Amino acid sequence: MAALSCHLQFTVSKGCSNVKAKPFIFCSAQPAKSNIKVVVNGAAKEIGRAAVIAVTKARGMEVAGAVDTHFVGEDVGLLCDMEEPLEIPVINDLTMVLGSISQSKETGVVIDFTDPSTVYDNVKQATAFGMKSIVYVPRIKVDTIAALSALCEKASMGCLVAPTLSIGSILLQQAAISASFHYNNVEIVESRAHGADLPSADANQIAKNLSNLGQIYNKEDLSTDVLARGQVLGEDGVRVHSLVLPGLPSSTTVYFSKPGEVYSIKHDITDVQCLMSGLLLAIRKVIRLKNLVYGLEKLL
C-alpha cells in the first residue's frame, strides 16, 4: 500500500508591473512503512498477555501470532480481556506462525517468554524464517547463550537476550557500578513474593557487575560460615539476602557503606506493566541487529 505525500509549492509569474506567486499542490505516492510483525511465544502467561496489549497499542508494530500450550484455539485478544477480539487464535505450533509471516516478507520479531530448555530451538526456528528474537527467560545457561551467539553470528541475525526488561532495574545496576568505586562494603537485600530461583536474576546480575570491577568488598567480613549472613556470590564478597513473603512487591536494594556513611539504592516492581516500555524499546532496536546482544542496557 502506498502513502500519498503532498507539498505546497509556488510558481512565480512576472507581469508588466509586479511579480505574482501562484500556489499549487504537488503530490506523489510513496511506499507506506509496514508495521513490525510481532509473535508472542508464551502468550498465555501474565507477561505474555501484557505484551500482547502493549504491542497492540504501540505505533509501528502489531501482534501477528500468539503461541502457547495453554488456551489453544482461544482468541488472544479476548484472552487478554481486550474490548475487541484480535482474530488471532492461540496455537501451539511456532513453525506454523513463522511460516505464515515469512511469506509476507515483512519484518518480524519473536518474543520468547517460554523456558530455558526450549530457547535455543525457538531462536533457531525464528532465524531460519528470517526473524529476529527477543529472549526474556530466566536462568538461561551460559552454554546456551554461547550457542545462540554462534548461531546468530553465522546467520547474521539479530537476537537480544534480556535478563531484565525493566528500565528501572537497569538504572539501579548502573548506579551500583558508579557507587562501587567509592565504597568498600556492599550487600544486596531483595524481597520476592515467591521463593523460586533465588537469588534472583537481578541480584545475580548486580553481583556479577560489581565483581567484574576487580575490587574486593567486605574485607572485614569475608566468612561464609554463618548462614544467617546471606549468600556470597562470586569471589569478591558481594552478599545477597533474599526475603520471601507473600504480598511483598519485588524489590531490590543495594547498600554501600564506608566509615560514617551509608548509601542505598532501591528499586521496586509492583506490576508486570513496568516491563513493557523496555520490551517495546527492545522490539524497535533488535530489528537493526545482526548478532546476539546480551542485556537491554547495551541498546539504551
Side-chain angles (χ1 to χ4, degrees), residues 122-136:
N122 293 341
V123 174
K124 186 176 181 180
Q125 287 187 60
T127 300
F129 284 97
M131 297 182 66
K132 312 294 177 76
S133 297
I134 297 171
V135 177
Y136 180 66

Side-chain angles (χ1 to χ4, degrees), residues 100-295:
S100 63
I101 296 175
S102 66
Q103 292 178 2
S104 66
K105 296 183 180 180
E106 294 187 271
T107 302
V109 174
V110 179
I111 308 172
D112 196 330
F113 296 131
T114 58
D115 184 85
S117 63
T118 62
V119 165
Y120 182 84
D121 288 338
N122 293 341
V123 174
K124 186 176 181 180
Q125 287 187 60
T127 300
F129 284 97
M131 297 182 66
K132 312 294 177 76
S133 297
I134 297 171
V135 177
Y136 180 66
V137 177
R139 304 298 179 184
I140 301 178
K141 295 181 179 180
V142 175
D143 292 346
T144 303
I145 297 173
L148 286 174
S149 180
L151 172 69
C152 295
E153 190 75 27
K154 184 176 181 180
S156 297
M157 187 61 64
C159 175
L160 171 67
V161 177
T164 182
L165 290 170
S166 166
I167 302 297
S169 178
I170 292 172
L171 294 176
L172 182 143
Q173 292 177 26
Q174 293 174 344
I177 291 173
S178 297
S180 67
F181 294 103
H182 306 283
Y183 295 92
N184 299 321
N185 303 293
V186 58
E187 302 211 6
I188 302 170
V189 179
E190 61 176 356
S191 66
R192 299 292 184 267
H194 307 286
D197 296 327
L198 294 175
S200 69
D202 285 348
N204 275 289
Q205 187 63 45
I206 294 169
K208 180 180 178 181
N209 290 344
L210 298 183
S211 295
N212 286 340
L213 301 177
Q215 180 173 330
I216 302 297
Y217 306 94
N218 308 318
K219 292 180 181 179
E220 297 177 359
D221 185 18
L222 293 175
S223 173
T224 58
D225 296 335
V226 182
L227 297 180
R229 289 291 293 118
Q231 179 179 349
V232 176
L233 298 184
E235 299 178 354
D236 298 328
V238 181
R239 294 185 185 276
V240 178
H241 307 262
S242 299
L243 309 179
V244 180
L245 290 171
L248 280 180
S250 293
S251 176
T252 304
T253 306
V254 186
Y255 291 92
F256 293 93
S257 77
K258 62 183 179 181
E261 183 178 28
V262 175
Y263 174 62
S264 61
I265 318 164
K266 185 178 182 182
H267 176 244
D268 293 338
I269 292 179
T270 59
D271 193 277
V272 72
Q273 292 295 329
C274 76
L275 306 178
M276 294 303 106
S277 58
L279 176 63
L280 297 180
L281 173 66
I283 293 171
R284 295 188 174 101
K285 294 286 188 178
V286 76
I287 60 174
R288 304 174 186 175
L289 298 180
K290 294 185 179 180
N291 60 337
L292 183 141
V293 171
Y294 184 85

